[in-house]
């Protein structure tokens, strides 16, 4: 394949990737968006393999790598549960970062790469920045994976004088960058490159460890952005226009998504990176020995079913608890029965519900809940006062009235779904434990609130059985 034909193929792939992003922005067109992405990636891979830069002697190596990688991807797609999607996304981001690091080192020591003068300096800057971004992405994503998987505590780890440490690390990286660019040989340049890589890996760990569990959705989208910029940096190192454009698309879309997540949490992006908000999650709602905020009113599954049956309007607010219990299919069955009985059922989705952006939308789509009744927070919040029953399934922080009523709360000002304004709210939880932010929820003690304790799947099955009866 000639250079010009490969370029045309790359342009076609870029167009398909852009169409894919547009399709993925809406549930109704997401399947088409995925298809565009698959076709675009297939064209890109084929154009690269059969392009002028790959010789026939490399085909066997590439084919072997594709078989191994494809087998791992197929295994992950078939075995990873929907509740583990945030962890899978985080670990995939780490692989992009690792690839950028390895390609950077390989490109630097490649004897076939020869540049002179300004081109040589620009190439070394590309290598240095590419490895830096890749290392931060890799280590940060690994820590994010550990937090999302519960292997590392979600509580922020705040080091003394952490901002001074970050500033010192930045100055050291800049200093060694100057030494790297002015090194006289590859051997001399490897030392500052190794030092910078080590500092970048430590910075990635420090950055994500300092971020509390409540901000993890922002972390996932932020790492998505970093992985895009790492890919773009790799494209500059390899002089591959496709990688540059696609990396920029992913990096910019991830940055925009991070901004949207921060706005949905009333958080400043810089303050999220600085860390310090959120605890490990699951902490008692009231500290030991402290007086409770009020009395809760429990409700049974049969009473819940009766209340839903008699309602004219119901809004369901899903959270991470629904994902853990894998109760989305039962929720869909309940929704279908209620709608058949003439009850208006809709879903209210908070932008940061779950552990990654769009987590609840994915689960509901998997259960085949109709797209037209799944509404975003801004679209449905004003409808709660006219709703008979608001049903919260495993959500906590995103329905916490303290965000509006308590200016001293850590989540004060965070936009929330105003479920307490419905005639009756029902909260499904295993216990009175707090959410991921570790903040007490006054919703539990409101006069019009009812608590349905137990595993979400088990209790919803009982509600479904009562509705069928």
């Amino acid at each position: 394949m000639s250079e010009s034909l490969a370029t045309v193929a790359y342009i076609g792939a870029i167009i398909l990737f852009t169409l894919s992003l547009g399709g993925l922005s809406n549930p109704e067109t997401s399947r088409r968006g995925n298809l565009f992405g698959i076709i675009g990636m297939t064209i890109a891979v084929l154009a690269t393999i059969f392009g002028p830069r790959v010789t026939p002697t490399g085909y066997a190596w590439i084919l072997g790598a594709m078989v191994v990688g494809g087998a791992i991807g197929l295994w992950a797609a078939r075995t990873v549960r929907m509740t583990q999607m945030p962890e899978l996304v985080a670990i995939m981001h780490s692989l992009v970062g690792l690839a950028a690091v390895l390609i950077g080192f390989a490109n630097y020591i490649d004897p076939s790469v020869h540049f002179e003068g300004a081109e040589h300096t620009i190439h070394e800057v590309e290598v240095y920045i590419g490895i830096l971004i890749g290392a931060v992405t890799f280590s940060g994503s690994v820590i994010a994976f550990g937090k999302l998987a519960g292997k590392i505590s979600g509580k922020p780890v705040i080091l003394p004088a952490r901002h001074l440490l970050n500033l010192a690390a930045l100055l050291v990286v800049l200093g060694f960058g100057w030494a790297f660019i002015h090194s006289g040989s590859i051997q001399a340049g490897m030392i500052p490159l190794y030092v910078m890589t080590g500092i970048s890996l430590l910075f990635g760990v420090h950055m994500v460890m300092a971020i509390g569990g409540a901000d993890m959705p922002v972390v996932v989208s932020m790492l998505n952005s970093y992985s895009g910029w790492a890919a773009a940096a790799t494209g500059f190192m390899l002089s591959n226009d496709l990688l540059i454009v696609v990396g920029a698309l992913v990096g910019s879309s991830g940055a925009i998504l991070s901004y949207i997540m921060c706005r949905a949490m009333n958080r400043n992006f810089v303050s999220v990176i600085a860390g310090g908000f959120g605890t490990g999650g699951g902490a008692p709602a009231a500290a030991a020995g402290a007086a409770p905020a009020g009395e809760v009113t429990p409700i049974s599954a049969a009473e819940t079913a009766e209340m839903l049956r008699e309602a004219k309007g119901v809004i369901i607010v899903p959270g991470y608890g629904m994902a853990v219990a894998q109760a989305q299919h039962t929720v869909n069955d309940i929704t279908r029965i209620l709608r058949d009985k003439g009850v208006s059922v809709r879903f209210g989705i908070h932008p940061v519900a779950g552990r990654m952006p769009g987590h609840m939308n994915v689960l509901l789509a998997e259960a085949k809940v109709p797209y037209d009744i799944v509404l975003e927070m801004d679209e449905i919040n004003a409808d709660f006062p006219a709703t008979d029953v608001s049903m919260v399934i495993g959500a906590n922080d995103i329905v916490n009235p303290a965000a509006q009523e308590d200016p001293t709360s850590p989540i004060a000002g965070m936009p929330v779904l105003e479920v307490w304004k419905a005639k009756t709210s029902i909260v499904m939880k295993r216990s009175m434990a707090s959410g991921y932010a570790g903040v007490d929820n006054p919703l539990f003690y409101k006069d019009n609130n009812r608590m349905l304790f137990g595993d979400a799947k088990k209790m919803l099955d009982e509600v479904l059985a009562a509705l069928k009866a």
Side-chain angles (χ1 to χ4, degrees):
M1 183 183 292
S2 65
E3 183 77 35
S4 58
L5 184 57
T7 301
V8 171
Y10 282 169
I11 293 173
I14 290 170
I15 293 172
L16 286 168
F17 288 144
T18 306
L19 292 173
S20 176
L21 278 177
L24 292 172
S25 64
N26 190 291
E28 285 86 352
T29 58
S30 59
R31 285 182 178 271
R32 186 171 68 226
N34 267 323
L35 181 60
F36 285 150
I38 292 170
I39 297 173
M41 184 56 68
T42 302
I43 293 174
V45 170
L46 292 176
T48 301
I49 294 175
F50 297 107
R53 298 189 182 186
V54 178
T55 61
T57 56
Y59 291 162
W61 291 98
I62 294 174
L63 180 62
M66 291 177 63
V67 169
V68 173
I72 294 173
L74 183 62
W75 170 82
R78 294 179 62 87
T79 59
V80 172
R81 299 191 301 271
M82 292 303 295
T83 54
Q84 296 174 311
M85 284 303 296
E87 297 99 290
L88 179 64
V89 170
I91 205 67
M92 290 299 182
H93 290 160
S94 76
L95 296 179
V96 177
L98 180 61
V101 173
L102 296 178
I103 290 173
F105 274 98
N107 195 252
Y108 180 61
I109 64 177
D110 186 357
S112 65
V113 177
H114 296 288
F115 294 102
E116 299 293 337
E119 287 186 345
H120 177 73
T121 302
I122 293 172
H123 175 68
E124 290 194 337
V125 170
E126 293 169 353
V127 169
Y128 197 80
I129 294 177
I131 294 177
L132 189 154
I133 298 174
V136 172
T137 304
F138 171 68
S139 59
S141 298
V142 169
I143 298 301
F145 166 80
K147 286 196 171 192
L148 291 166
K151 301 180 185 299
I152 300 175
S153 172
K155 186 176 181 180
V157 177
I158 308 299
L159 297 180
R162 65 186 188 279
H163 299 307
L164 291 177
L165 287 174
N166 291 338
L167 178 60
L170 175 62
L171 293 176
V172 172
V173 165
L174 291 175
F176 276 95
W178 185 89
F180 172 73
I181 293 173
H182 292 85
S183 58
S185 64
I186 293 177
Q187 290 76 11
M190 291 299 288
I191 295 176
L193 206 56
Y194 283 141
V195 173
M196 179 274 293
T197 303
I199 293 174
S200 300
L201 290 171
L202 291 174
F203 176 77
V205 172
H206 179 218
M207 177 183 67
V208 180
M209 286 297 293
I211 299 174
D215 287 332
M216 286 312 293
V218 180
V219 174
V220 173
S221 59
M222 175 191 71
L223 291 172
N224 178 54
S225 178
Y226 285 3
S227 67
W229 299 125
T234 302
F236 279 108
M237 287 187 282
L238 300 178
S239 299
N240 188 301
D241 296 335
L242 179 64
L243 266 178
I244 295 171
V245 174
V246 173
L249 280 173
V250 175
S252 56
S253 62
I256 294 170
L257 185 58
S258 298
Y259 169 75
I260 294 173
M261 295 294 103
C262 287
R263 187 175 61 181
M265 299 172 67
N266 193 38
R267 299 278 280 146
N268 181 277
F269 183 73
V270 175
S271 68
V272 172
I273 303 304
F277 177 62
T279 68
E295 294 293 331
V296 300
T297 305
I299 191 174
S300 68
E303 292 170 329
T304 299
E306 184 63 26
M307 191 171 290
L308 292 173
R309 186 186 293 112
E310 295 179 353
K312 292 182 180 179
V314 173
I315 297 178
I316 299 175
V317 178
Y320 188 63
M322 186 188 78
V324 172
Q326 300 185 51
Q328 60 269 26
H329 295 284
T330 306
V331 170
N332 182 48
D333 293 338
I334 292 173
T335 300
R336 189 177 64 253
I337 290 177
L338 290 175
R339 295 184 78 192
D340 290 343
K341 294 180 181 294
V343 180
S344 172
V345 182
R346 293 177 297 167
F347 289 79
I349 307 298
H350 194 281
V352 296
R355 294 296 181 267
M356 72 175 186
H359 197 180
M360 297 300 106
N361 303 77
V362 171
L363 292 175
L364 295 176
E366 180 202 17
K368 295 182 171 52
V369 172
Y371 298 134
D372 60 331
I373 64 172
V374 180
L375 305 176
E376 298 299 322
M377 175 181 64
D378 294 338
E379 299 175 297
I380 204 168
N381 237 359
D383 296 344
F384 280 107
T387 301
D388 294 311
V389 178
S390 60
M391 192 171 182
V392 181
I393 306 176
N396 199 323
D397 301 320
I398 61 172
V399 295
N400 193 331
Q404 296 182 0
E405 300 171 356
D406 183 5
T408 64
S409 173
I411 62 172
M414 171 181 164
V416 293
L417 286 156
E418 300 168 348
V419 297
W420 62 90
K421 292 185 178 181
K423 182 178 179 181
T424 304
S425 58
I426 301 174
V427 178
M428 298 186 63
K429 282 179 62 68
R430 290 176 177 269
S431 67
M432 290 292 290
S434 63
Y436 219 39
V439 180
D440 187 22
N441 194 340
L443 170 66
F444 303 159
Y445 314 108
K446 287 188 176 291
D447 293 337
N448 66 331
N449 184 68
R450 303 292 181 265
M451 301 294 298
L452 180 57
F453 291 110
D455 175 77
K457 181 68 166 62
K458 178 177 180 296
M459 301 313 297
L460 286 171
D461 283 341
E462 293 183 12
V463 171
L464 178 61
L467 286 172
K468 289 180 177 179

